[in-house]
Amino acid sequence: MAEPSAGLAVCVDFGSTFTKALLVDLDTGTVVAGAGAGAEHRTTIDTDVLDGYDACLAELVAADPRAAGAEVLACS
């Protein structure tokens, strides 16, 4: 299990076509990872919707390892 990353949140939007995610610094309101287009993966309704989330999270962790322990805030 990843160590908690205080002050950071992975913000996820589960859309009907794409799942999108950003790593946000909650103290400053700035995007830490995923700036630009953000992490994006096709929403996988044929298997498990979390497959798209896992792909986005992996992309954010590659950009900033603290994403692995960040709080997750999601919407759909």
Side-chain angles (χ1 to χ4, degrees):
M1 179 124 201
E3 290 293 318
S5 298
L8 295 174
V10 173
C11 298
V12 185
D13 171 26
F14 290 97
S16 59
T17 306
F18 285 92
T19 297
K20 300 159 288 290
L22 298 170
L23 180 63
V24 177
D25 181 316
L26 298 176
D27 295 326
T28 64
T30 57
V31 174
V32 178
E40 186 174 289
H41 193 273
R42 187 158 169 73
T43 299
T44 49
I45 59 172
D46 294 335
T47 57
D48 186 329
V49 71
L50 291 180
D51 290 344
Y53 166 75
D54 291 340
C56 286
L57 182 59
E59 191 175 325
L60 293 177
V61 169
D64 189 325
R66 298 176 299 168
E71 175 181 12
V72 178
L73 303 173
C75 68
S76 177

